[in-house]
Each structure stands twice: as structure tokens, then as C-alpha cells.
Amino acid sequence: MPTNREIQLASRPQGWPTEDNFRLVTAEVPTPGPGQLLVRNRYMSVDPYMRGRMNDVRSYVPPFALDAPLDGGAVGEVVGGEADGFAPGDTVLHGLGWRDYALVEAKAARKVEPGLAPVTAYLGVLGMTGLTAYAGLLEVAAMRPGETVFVSGAAGAVGSMVGQIARLRGAGRVVGSAGSAAKVERLRALGFDDAFDYHDGPVRDLLRAAAPDGVDVYFDNVGGEHLEAAISSMNLHGRAAICGMIAQYNDTEAPAAPRNLAQVIGKRLTLRGFLVNDHGHLREQFVREVSGWLRDGTLAYDETIVDGLENAPAAFLGLLRGENLGKMLVRL
Amino acid sequence: MPTNREIQLASRPQGWPTEDNFRLVTAEVPTPGPGQLLVRNRYMSVDPYMRGRMNDVRSYVPPFALDAPLDGGAVGEVVGGEADGFAPGDTVLHGLGWRDYALVEAKAARKVEPGLAPVTAYLGVLGMTGLTAYAGLLEVAAMRPGETVFVSGAAGAVGSMVGQIARLRGAGRVVGSAGSAAKVERLRALGFDDAFDYHDGPVRDLLRAAAPDGVDVYFDNVGGEHLEAAISSMNLHGRAAICGMIAQYNDTEAPAAPRNLAQVIGKRLTLRGFLVNDHGHLREQFVREVSGWLRDGTLAYDETIVDGLENAPAAFLGLLRGENLGKMLVRL
């Protein structure tokens, strides 16, 4: 009988989390009951939103519990259990990552076709990550052809999709920010019209140089100084889709920004926070459109893959430090 | 031949303006040319947005020019000039206040029917002020019956309209903030379900007590701590119509609030700045609906009237200090 391993939350971080906040625990492989599947996880996702769940704060998703396994998106192979529509060997997408074996309610699992795309795609470009980019850009910010789009955290899983979808949907100019020269180079290769490393100066100045005619749509993954710069550069009737504020997830004091928020009045700006959960009605259209772009090679995606469940905390911490290019995944 | 007087901008303020920033100048009564009307102004409006125009900053309306008369909404009587559709004795609404006599292009004047409502109403409840409240609440924030509405600066010209329109359009609960006990009492008389004086404690606590089930729609006239409190109290999918931020118009340093902007993500909030200019398509519906409420007595409005052009600067400064109840006007 194989053993199971899981990563538990050992303590809640103050500020930046460390490996000490996690604990690798050996457990028994669970036995599926009626309507349950036993899944051998193959890949799990680490995502910025998980940082919020480490805090004991009521939010849109419940916090991780202490001394219990974390969870999150994963794909794996059905190795046990019986449920209508599933058979051993099926590859399924579900929400119980951070462990080798997951006991998944069949109704919370979605079968994916491993022949159509690499299974990792269902955690990224064709999954929640991709839909986040698609919905935020096209529905929340309602980008129109010809507009100038700025996306922060542009070399990340969501950001790189936002920029490419903008280009493919006819944006007039696509600008991205990232945290290293190598990432900036990658953004240019992905078809961004311009990109900058936010370490190279005040974001406000870098953005103004990259988008001299202003920004119509801002897709925010970063918050703080990036949001302030975007508001400053935004054109009349500009829209910001607020997806994340990774710059401040580890702050112990609330950030004093953006200090130019009053500009939303004169410029008639809209700032709109969103969660992908509200946009499931776009999924079918999203998969059809994005898989078409993948097939004809007009859309590319990056993955940064870390091996071993025991390295999942390190992968997550690296994500918070921006060490990933594209989607950060752990192979189990 | 009568003399004309006008208020000019003598200097630009740093921080709070003073009477020294204004200058009363005697001028000749202008002579109308073709298509122009000579108007003897009877009432002029002072509005918070004029503070922004005292700065030499490009914004949605051009700044006031130094050593030239200020301008703004006014009503007066046609006493000279000839233009199709206008006759001497007509009462007209136009944009050249801050002077006894205005030379108005006929196409920039709108004839009003003084018999239908007091002429001051066209500067307030039936004018730009009223439409601002109506459009911001119903179109920008898209208030739905049953929702809880919070409006800051609620005893002002716009705020008192917002609260009453919310009530008349079926809001579940209407809460307002104001700057004195007398204003709070007036808000209760106007039908607000609850109201508080923001001097009485942290706005966040006062609002939470007044709206224990949270806020669905926030109409912001104040900014800063009020906006932060509103974000904190807002329910899922809440909407804020950002009309003004009077708390910070005289700040010389950029304000640090709201510090909780990241909550827009998890709560899927929308913050939308607006200007009434974009909502002229609602004017006809607005006038019909609001004049009906005025006729049947379900909507009331307050005016604070100061006498004399020479006192217009004092009236404007008093407005910035919150000395008005309802619409602040100068009788000329």
C-alpha cells in the first residue's frame, strides 16, 4: 500500500511567509466511499491568491485551516473509487492539490482530455488562469479593438495571457511590466508592443514612455505603485480590471495608495475588482477561442515546473518573489 | 448706464483658498453682438468642483484664468441682444456667473419657465446638481430597489438629492453622513433611515453601526476616510459612484486613503468616477420624474442663499467648509 503525503499549514505568516509556515506530513491513502474518486495527483498549481488564504481573515474563499492540508487546483489520474462518468485512468481536474492522493467528490471533478492539450494546460492557459485573463480583459474591462492595454505582472501566468489575448483581439498597443530584463525580453517575444522592468525607475515614468498616448485598459495584478501609475496614465473613460495586488500581499501595514484616486472623477475611470468564479458563463467560448489560438500557434504560454511535493512550499514562495515565468506548477 | 461688476481670480491658492485669491472688479456692461444676449444675472451657483479650477492643472474643465472673471452656473433675465427664440424679460440658464451682467451666446443659453418652479431650482434640484445625483445613483451605481445606499456629504445639494431619490426609488435603507448635528437632524427629516455626524468617531465605526447589513451602493462626495469606510462596509458586488472628494480638494499632500482598496477584488466592487456632462441623455426623464416628486411634495430641497456678488467668494469658501445646507447660491 503506497503512503500519502500532504502539505499542511503549520502556522500563519506575519508578512512574508517562510517554509516554517508549512509542514510535510505522511498520511494514509484515503479510501473512497460512494460517489468519491481516489486521484493520484500529477500536477498542482500554486497561485498568488493562496497567500490571502494563509491569513485568518474572512474573504471570498475561506482561509486555510491550521494543521490541515492546503488545497488548490490539481490534475491527476483516477486510481480508485466509482462514480458515473469516471473510470480508472481518467485524468481529472479538481481542487485538492498539495497532496499525493486526493479523495475527490466526483461532482467536484472535471474530466479532461489529455490528448487535446498537455494536462498542465488545464491548470493554466486553458484553466482558471486563462479564464481569469480572458474574462478580466474582455468582460470586466470590456477591451475594444484599437485600445491601449497595460498589464502588470505581465510575465506571470495571467499577465502573459492578458497581453496576448489583447493582441489577438485587436488592441492598438499592448504594454507590460515585469520584474527582470529576461522577462521583459520574453514579453517582446510574445508580441507585446513594449515592456519594461519596474525596477528601472518610477513606474509612472516607465509607463508614460511605453504608452505615450495613454492607457485605455489596465489589467492589475500588482496594485500599489503600478495602480497609481496606471491611473495617472489612463485616458478618459478608461477601465481597470483589478485581478490582484501581489505587491502588497505580504505587507504588514496597509498601503497608502493610490494617492491619485481622485483622478477617477475627471477622467471618468472605472476600477472593478473581479474573481474568475463569477465568469464561468464564458468558459465554453474561452476554451474554444484560446484552444484555436494554441492550435494555430498564435498564442504561447510559459510554465515553470518544480519537482516534488516536498518542494511545493518553495515553489509557492518563489512565485511570491516573482521567480516564475508563466504558470508556476509542481509536478508530483 | 449701469456699471458691471465681476469677480476675478487674483491668485491661485496653495491649500485652502482665501478671499485674497479673489478680486472684485468694476467693468463696463458689454454690448451684445449678433446672436448674443445681455443677461442681468439674478442667482449664481457656487460648487465644490470650482476649487479644482482654481489650480493651474489640466482637468476635465479648463482652469480659471488669472486676472479674468470666474464662471459657473447662473440664471438671469435677458435685458439686451437679439437672438431667435429669446426676448427681453426671458429667464435663462447659462454658464457665466460671478458677474452682474453676462454676455451670453444665445446657443449657450437655455430658456427656463419661471412659473413652473422657483428660478433657483434650475441651478439646483432641477439643474446640474439634481441631474448629478440622479445619474450617479441610478445610472453610474445602478441602484436597485431594496439595496442599502450610503451617501457622504448628505446634507449638501447633491447628497440630499441622492438620499431622497434612493428612498423614492425603493432603496431598502438610506444612510447619510454630514458635518453637524443639525445637518444630521435635517437628514432624518428628509427621510434618511439613519445619519451620522462624521466628527463623532471613526467613519468606519459610525457607518457600520448605521448600516449593520453592509452597503450596496456608495455615492461619494467626500473621498478619503469616507471612501475607506464605505469600501470596508460594502457588500459583494457593491458599486461606488465617485462624484467628488471634497475632503481632499485643499490638501497640499496626496491623501493616503483608502488603504483598503484591495478589498475591491474579493468583494468584486466597482468604483466609477463620473461627471454629469456624460449623462445629458437622462435629462428629460430626470426633469419629469423629479418635478413630479416636487409637485406632490415627496422630495424637498434646501438652499443657503448669500446676498451680493461681493460676497460670492465668502459663499464659496463657506461651501468648502460645509457651512451650507443644501444648495449654496448667491443672489445678485
Side-chain angles (χ1 to χ4, degrees), chain A residues 60 227 237 242-245 248-249 254-259 261-262 264-266 268-275 277-278, chain B residues 60 227 237 242-245 248-249 254-259 261-262 264-266 268-275 278:
Chain A
Y60 53 92
L227 178 55
H237 303 291
I242 315 286
C243 177
M245 295 193 175
Q248 63 198 55
Y249 290 166
R259 291 178 179 270
L261 193 60
V264 302
I265 303 171
R268 295 88 125 177
L269 306 182
T270 300
L271 311 186
R272 196 169 156 212
F274 76 103
L275 293 180
N277 319 17
D278 293 333
Chain B
Y60 53 93
L227 177 55
H237 302 293
I242 315 286
C243 178
M245 295 192 175
Q248 63 198 54
Y249 290 167
R259 291 177 179 269
L261 194 60
V264 303
I265 302 171
R268 294 87 124 176
L269 306 182
T270 301
L271 311 185
R272 194 170 158 209
F274 76 103
L275 293 180
D278 292 334

Side-chain angles (χ1 to χ4, degrees), chain A residues 93-108:
Chain A
L93 173 69
H94 62 91
L96 295 176
W98 294 91
R99 65 200 81 186
D100 290 326
Y101 288 89
L103 190 63
V104 180
E105 299 294 327
K107 61 183 190 295

Side-chain angles (χ1 to χ4, degrees), chain B residues 27 29 134 148 152 184 225 235 241 265:
Chain B
V29 175
Y134 189 90
T148 294
S152 55
V184 166
E225 190 192 351
N235 295 325
I265 302 171

Side-chain angles (χ1 to χ4, degrees), chain B residues 121 124-127 129-131 133-135 138 161 164-165 168-169 282-301:
Chain B
V125 62
L126 289 176
T129 302
L131 182 56
Y134 189 90
L138 301 178
M161 289 286 290
Q164 293 182 87
I165 296 170
L168 290 161
R169 278 294 198 100
L282 290 177
R283 182 179 298 277
E284 201 178 318
Q285 172 192 333
F286 151 73
V287 170
R288 192 172 56 241
E289 192 161 8
V290 171
S291 57
W293 289 328
L294 287 171
R295 260 197 313 275
D296 65 21
T298 51
L299 185 142
Y301 64 98

Side-chain angles (χ1 to χ4, degrees), chain A residues 168-193:
Chain A
L168 290 161
R169 278 294 199 101
R173 185 170 182 80
V174 180
V175 171
S177 71
S180 74
K183 287 181 177 179
V184 166
E185 193 175 331
R186 178 61 183 151
L187 294 180
R188 294 185 198 279
L190 288 175
F192 282 66
D193 295 290

Side-chain angles (χ1 to χ4, degrees), chain A residues 5-25 50-57 62-71 97-99 309 312-313 316-317 320:
Chain A
R5 296 176 309 157
E6 62 188 30
I7 305 282
Q8 296 188 351
L9 183 66
S11 58
R12 299 195 187 279
Q14 300 293 324
W16 284 86
T18 68
E19 298 223 20
D20 290 342
N21 298 124
F22 303 88
R23 181 193 300 131
L24 180 67
V25 172
M50 293 172 175
R51 175 61 188 86
R53 297 188 65 196
M54 297 182 78
N55 299 332
D56 191 16
V57 171
F64 293 129
L66 278 175
D67 304 316
L70 286 75
D71 57 72
W98 294 91
R99 65 200 81 186
L309 179 67
F316 174 66
L317 299 176
L320 294 181

